[in-house]
């Protein structure tokens, strides 16, 4: 098995101020990143170079400041608004699942009450039947109209939004939306119909109620 960070129980890379660093596991990539002869060091240098881009640096600094200034104080919605302010995003786009229109309406109401211009588009806009793009007829048992994340992205691109927010797009549809969005994207709600849009619950209960996952 090819071990990497997801197999770590030490997290020695996340060093604390004034605390003696823990030893890195044998498979840890961190030591190699700092060794010139290690192939991964080139990847490390290439990644770090990207932060020299003024726009990338601005986003990275804003994200770090939001985390620090409101750590365990702000909800996700509040963090999104603060992040938007810090990067100068005034026009926000919402790419919403049709099943979460109610939540998106409330999100838009909150954003507008806080001074943002907001526009959003539903995944079902256009009412295109699923077979049009080659989706099997069997999938129409839960509805004949396809989700259209590419159209959502292009509609928001046309609106020249500064930051786009994902609200409950299906797995894979969210991937396509992010691929085609010209504006930066962040997620407000991750869909999980079974767990009330809290997918982490399956991880917390994987050794008990959701043991079937293992």
């Amino acid at each position: 098995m090819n071990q990497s960070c997801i197999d770590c129980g030490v997290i020695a890379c996340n060093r604390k101020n004034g605390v003696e660093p823990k030893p890195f596991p044998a498979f840890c990539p961190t030591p190699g990143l700092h060794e010139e002869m290690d192939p991964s060091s080139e990847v490390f240098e290439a990644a770090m170079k990207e932060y020299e881009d003024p726009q990338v640096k601005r986003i990275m600094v804003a994200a770090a400041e939001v985390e620090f200034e409101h750590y365990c104080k702000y909800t996700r919605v509040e963090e999104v608004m603060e992040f938007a302010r810090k990067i100068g995003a005034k026009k926000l786009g919402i790419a919403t699942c049709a099943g979460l229109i109610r939540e998106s309406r409330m999100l838009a109401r909150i954003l507008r009450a806080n001074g943002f211009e907001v526009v959003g588009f539903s995944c079902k806009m256009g009412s295109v039947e699923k077979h049009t793009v080659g989706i099997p007829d069997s999938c129409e048992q839960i509805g004949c109209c396809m989700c259209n994340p590419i159209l959502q992205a292009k509609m928001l691109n046309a609106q020249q939004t500064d930051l786009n927010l994902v609200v409950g797009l299906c797995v894979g549809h969210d991937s396509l939306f992010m691929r085609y969005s010209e504006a930066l994207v962040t997620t407000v709600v991750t869909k999980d119909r079974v767990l009330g849009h809290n997918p982490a619950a399956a991880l917390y209960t994987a050794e008990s109620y959701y043991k079937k996952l293992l």
Side-chain angles (χ1 to χ4, degrees), residues 29-83:
T30 293
L33 296 177
H34 298 280
E35 297 176 5
E36 292 186 7
M37 299 303 292
D38 194 302
S40 62
S41 65
E42 294 183 10
V43 179
F44 176 73
E45 292 298 332
M48 296 308 298
K49 181 123 184 112
E50 292 295 326
Y51 294 107
E52 296 177 11
D53 182 304
Q55 184 176 2
V56 173
K57 183 177 181 179
R58 179 169 59 94
I59 293 168
M60 192 63 179
V61 170
E65 288 179 344
V66 170
E67 178 190 22
F68 162 68
E69 294 168 3
H70 310 288
Y71 196 79
C72 292
K73 298 175 184 176
Y74 270 14
T75 63
R76 179 76 176 192
V77 171
E78 290 173 306
E79 286 187 338
V80 167
M81 290 192 293
E82 187 61 21
F83 175 71

Side-chain angles (χ1 to χ4, degrees), residues 99-100 103 168 189-200:
L100 279 85
E103 290 83 349
V189 179
T190 302
K191 177 183 287 174
D192 190 320
R193 298 180 184 89
V194 175
L195 297 173
H197 310 308
N198 177 24

Side-chain angles (χ1 to χ4, degrees), residues 88-109:
K90 297 180 180 180
K91 188 172 185 178
L92 308 184
I94 297 177
T96 182
C97 167
L100 279 85
I101 286 292
R102 180 181 178 184
E103 290 83 349
S104 289
R105 286 174 61 194
M106 179 54 70
L107 175 61
R109 182 179 172 186

Side-chain angles (χ1 to χ4, degrees), residues 50 63 80 83 98 111 114 117 130-131 149 176-177 195 199:
E50 292 295 326
V80 167
F83 175 71
L111 295 173
N114 283 271
E117 181 181 355
K130 292 179 179 176
H131 64 80
L176 284 173
F177 175 78
L195 297 173

Side-chain angles (χ1 to χ4, degrees), residues 80 91-97 100-112 116-123 125 151-153 155-156 159 161-169 177 184-186 188-189:
V80 167
K91 188 172 185 178
L92 308 184
I94 297 177
T96 182
C97 167
L100 279 85
I101 286 292
R102 180 181 178 184
E103 290 83 349
S104 289
R105 286 174 61 194
M106 179 54 70
L107 175 61
R109 182 179 172 186
I110 292 171
L111 295 173
R112 286 167 177 156
F116 294 99
E117 181 181 355
V118 186
V119 61
F121 297 104
S122 165
C123 63
M125 66 179 302
L151 178 60
Q152 287 176 289
M155 290 293 288
L156 290 174
Q159 289 285 329
T161 50
D162 301 315
L163 176 67
N164 289 333
L165 316 179
V166 169
V167 178
L169 297 187
F177 175 78
L184 203 63
V185 180
T186 191
V188 177
V189 179

